[in-house]
Amino acid sequence: MRKFIAGVAVLAVGAILAMGACTHREPNDTTLSANASADSGAFLAATLCTQGGFDCETAPVYTTNALARRAAANQLRKKEITADQAIATLAKTDRVRSLLDQSMTACAQDNKTGKCTGSLTKAKELLSQAQAASL
Amino acid sequence: MKITNDNARVLISVLKAGVVTAEKKGESSFELTNALQVFDDAARQELVDAINEATK
């Protein structure tokens, strides 16, 4: 009988600990609200960029693009958009990403100064296209 | 200065992406653009997974 009671007690403590583990939630970097993309990219660039390199100009667009993808994934899981709409978002964001990468390649940024050693004009042109495509 | 939770989460996610990728390569620093590309790659994969799940 004592063994039985001890066993029940161990199970009860285990269950309480398990419940505690399940209910305790750390801040989660995957739960962003729907308007997270509105100014997060600008905030990121303003926080991290002090030298004004070209990457500071592309940073908000990269961020907005990634957040648009995550928002579409969340909306699709909640059935707020269709799979076709999500596929369209994937294609659009892939296009923006491609333009951004091409823009960075065109700039060929100097690691020390942060300035473009390549064609800044070409880089800015590609960045403009990326910005227009992300609207 | 007030910082919204969402903005902080985005910043943390991008920095984490940069640190993890740099450490995998044995490097002690990373370029902002590289961190953003990793962040975007992860978001793309999340979207692809959601599409695959929805079209099963």
Side-chain angles (χ1 to χ4, degrees), chain A residues 15-103:
Chain A
I16 290 166
L17 288 174
M19 283 171 67
C22 290
T23 53
H24 175 72
R25 296 188 66 188
E26 294 290 337
N28 187 346
D29 63 9
T30 63
T31 52
L32 298 170
S33 67
N35 65 348
S37 63
D39 65 353
S40 295
F43 172 77
L44 183 138
T47 309
L48 298 178
C49 296
T50 53
Q51 295 177 343
F54 184 66
D55 58 350
C56 296
E57 293 186 44
T58 56
V61 193
Y62 270 111
T63 309
T64 304
N65 203 51
L67 292 173
R69 295 188 200 267
R70 292 180 73 170
N74 283 333
Q75 286 175 317
L76 182 58
R77 283 192 216 102
K78 291 178 186 173
K79 301 191 190 308
E80 292 171 356
I81 60 171
T82 64
D84 284 344
Q85 287 173 308
I87 290 167
T89 300
L90 180 64
K92 183 178 161 186
T93 48
D94 280 350
R95 166 92 179 129
V96 173
R97 170 63 185 274
S98 172
L99 287 164
L100 285 170
D101 288 352
Q102 287 176 56
S103 175

Side-chain angles (χ1 to χ4, degrees), chain A residues 28-29 31-33 39-40 43-44 47-49 55 59 62-63 65-66 69-70 72-73 76-77 83 86-87 90 94 97 101 104 111, chain B residues 1 3-16 31-33 36-41 43-44 46-48 50-51 54-55:
Chain A
N28 187 346
D29 63 9
T31 52
L32 298 170
S33 67
D39 65 353
S40 295
F43 172 77
L44 183 138
T47 309
L48 298 178
C49 296
D55 58 350
Y62 270 111
T63 309
N65 203 51
R69 295 188 200 267
R70 292 180 73 170
L76 182 58
R77 283 192 216 102
I87 290 167
L90 180 64
D94 280 350
R97 170 63 185 274
D101 288 352
M104 288 305 296
N111 283 337
Chain B
M1 177 188 179
I3 299 171
T4 67
N5 294 349
D6 280 338
N7 283 353
R9 284 188 177 113
V10 170
L11 186 60
I12 289 166
S13 296
V14 171
L15 293 177
K16 196 190 283 182
E31 292 292 332
L32 173 61
T33 301
L36 287 164
Q37 287 168 337
V38 172
F39 181 58
D40 187 50
D41 288 341
R44 184 184 194 279
E46 192 179 328
L47 180 54
V48 168
I51 290 169
T55 54

Side-chain angles (χ1 to χ4, degrees), chain B residues 20-31:
Chain B
V20 170
T21 308
E23 287 186 340
K24 274 184 190 168
K25 294 178 186 171
E27 293 170 356
S28 60
S29 64
F30 59 89
E31 292 292 332

